[in-house]
Amino acid sequence: MGLPEIMLAVLWVGLTAYVLFGGADFGGGVWDLLSGGAGTGHRRRELVEHSIGPVWEANHVWLIFVIVLMWTGVPSVFAAVASTLYIPLTLAALGIIARGSAFAFRKASTRLWQRRLFGATFAFSSVVTPFFLGTAAGAIASGRVPPGIARGDLVTSWANPTSLTAGALAVGTAAYLAACYLTRDAERTGQPDLAEEFRRRALVTGVVVGVLSAAGLLVLRADAPGLFAELTTGRALPFLVLSVVAGVASLPLLWLRRYREVRVTAALAVVGLLWGWGVGQYPVLLPGVTLREAAATTSVLAASLGSLAFGAVLLVPSLWWLYATFQREHTAGGKQAGP
């Protein structure tokens, strides 16, 4: 395995972390949107806020990581993607900014109309952002981003069957992960009624995401037959099988209220789908462009990966400590997230 392959593998690990952590973060906003009125939905929103409050900023570190590594590791691919898909990527960036600002301002607001305004912005952005990120992924997967600066169609590159299906799947996956994670958080904080509620939501959302995934395969068969073949009969098949098995296993675990275990199977279902796409498309990054052709020079890759390894010594333990400390405090407090 050469430096380009190592770089791509590390990039995909970062993307996986963003999908699992940032995706669940967005999913919390989806459930915030569907929590009901100010009175009936207060405890649900308190649980969501308590779950993502300490980590929502840290989750976006993974997105920055992916962007920087793509920029330095495969600069020509970065340029093509950023220029052809600047509309959905700009909308996603605005969504991230609006979402973070609204989340912070809602906590500091004292008037009801302000809390409602910022809450609506937070919730709406939590749906829009993963959708547009999904459409960008669908554009790359379906081969609609040609090499070069803005060589692809600025609208149909991301407004097409594969992209729209990927966008819907991104929103559904985020909501599913969040519901699975929130069941455990509600149980740990002594709120069995909320755990039951999010359990039901996770069951329904899991079925919906399964149907969307099956529909996505049918769309790929017509729209991106090469990737479809790799997923169903090629080297990416084991990852697709992993996704299906883990997704199916999550449903009885939810039914039996095994909330700790379902966090693992739900994450594996998403990981299988994401890595199936990556393995199925490898080594082609853009139409007619392979990883070896797009990769930066050996000196740039070596310097980037070396700097990354040095930084990881500090960053990874810090992130682990953040998540672990928050979970321990959450457990030890034994208090309800709601009033």
Side-chain angles (χ1 to χ4, degrees):
M1 180 183 290
L3 289 179
E5 288 75 20
I6 295 174
M7 180 276 303
L8 184 62
V10 172
L11 187 152
W12 217 254
V13 169
L15 182 61
T16 302
Y18 184 63
V19 169
L20 292 180
F21 295 112
D25 197 335
F26 290 127
V30 173
W31 296 124
D32 187 285
L33 177 65
L34 301 176
S35 288
T40 59
H42 179 69
R43 290 182 60 226
R44 303 185 192 101
R45 291 191 175 92
E46 284 289 328
L47 178 64
V48 170
E49 185 174 296
H50 186 76
S51 296
I52 70 176
V55 297
W56 68 274
E57 292 174 298
N59 290 335
H60 291 294
V61 169
W62 298 111
L63 178 60
I64 298 170
F65 171 83
V66 170
I67 292 173
V68 172
L69 196 56
M70 185 177 178
W71 175 33
T72 56
V74 281
S76 61
V77 173
F78 177 87
V81 170
S83 58
T84 294
L85 300 177
Y86 81 85
I87 294 178
L89 293 178
T90 299
L91 292 173
L94 291 175
I96 291 173
I97 295 169
R99 182 177 182 276
S101 302
F103 184 74
F105 290 148
R106 183 174 69 171
K107 295 185 67 174
S109 299
T110 56
R111 297 182 180 181
L112 180 59
W113 72 268
Q114 292 176 332
R115 292 182 61 84
R116 284 178 171 173
L117 174 62
F118 292 130
T121 302
F122 166 72
F124 179 73
S125 300
S126 297
V127 176
V128 170
T129 304
F131 174 78
F132 284 116
L133 289 175
T135 61
I140 299 171
S142 60
R144 287 184 167 88
V145 182
I149 303 298
R151 294 288 182 86
D153 191 280
L154 298 180
V155 177
T156 60
S157 59
W158 59 274
N160 58 76
T162 299
S163 292
L164 296 178
T165 302
L169 187 58
V171 176
T173 298
Y176 174 61
L177 285 174
C180 290
Y181 295 170
L182 286 168
T183 55
R184 174 60 181 161
D185 284 345
E187 180 186 54
R188 186 167 50 239
T189 53
Q191 301 181 88
D193 58 328
L194 288 184
E196 281 295 308
E197 184 172 327
F198 281 107
R199 167 181 166 268
R200 292 191 294 268
R201 294 186 178 200
L203 283 167
V204 173
T205 310
V207 173
V208 172
V209 169
V211 172
L212 277 174
S213 300
L217 283 176
L218 295 177
V219 171
L220 280 180
R221 182 180 182 182
D223 203 37
L227 181 57
F228 173 80
E230 287 291 343
L231 283 170
T232 54
T233 60
R235 60 193 169 190
L237 179 60
F239 293 95
L240 182 62
V241 172
L242 170 65
S243 180
V244 173
V245 171
V248 171
S250 297
L251 299 180
L253 288 174
L254 282 168
W255 186 265
L256 296 172
R257 298 173 179 81
R258 304 296 296 269
Y259 300 140
R260 189 187 301 272
E261 292 83 356
V262 82
R263 284 185 164 192
V264 177
T265 56
L268 283 175
V270 176
V271 169
L273 197 62
L274 182 65
W275 280 77
W277 166 36
V279 171
Q281 188 159 332
Y282 176 82
V284 177
L285 303 184
L286 298 177
V289 179
T290 64
L291 172 62
R292 287 281 176 170
E293 295 169 341
T297 62
T298 300
S299 59
V300 170
L301 290 176
S304 299
L305 292 173
S307 301
L308 178 61
F310 178 78
V313 174
L314 299 176
L315 178 62
V316 173
S318 299
L319 288 173
W320 178 267
W321 183 255
L322 172 65
Y323 293 128
T325 300
F326 171 60
Q327 292 294 316
R328 282 201 297 269
E329 288 177 353
H330 203 168
T331 304
K335 298 179 181 178
Q336 291 190 358

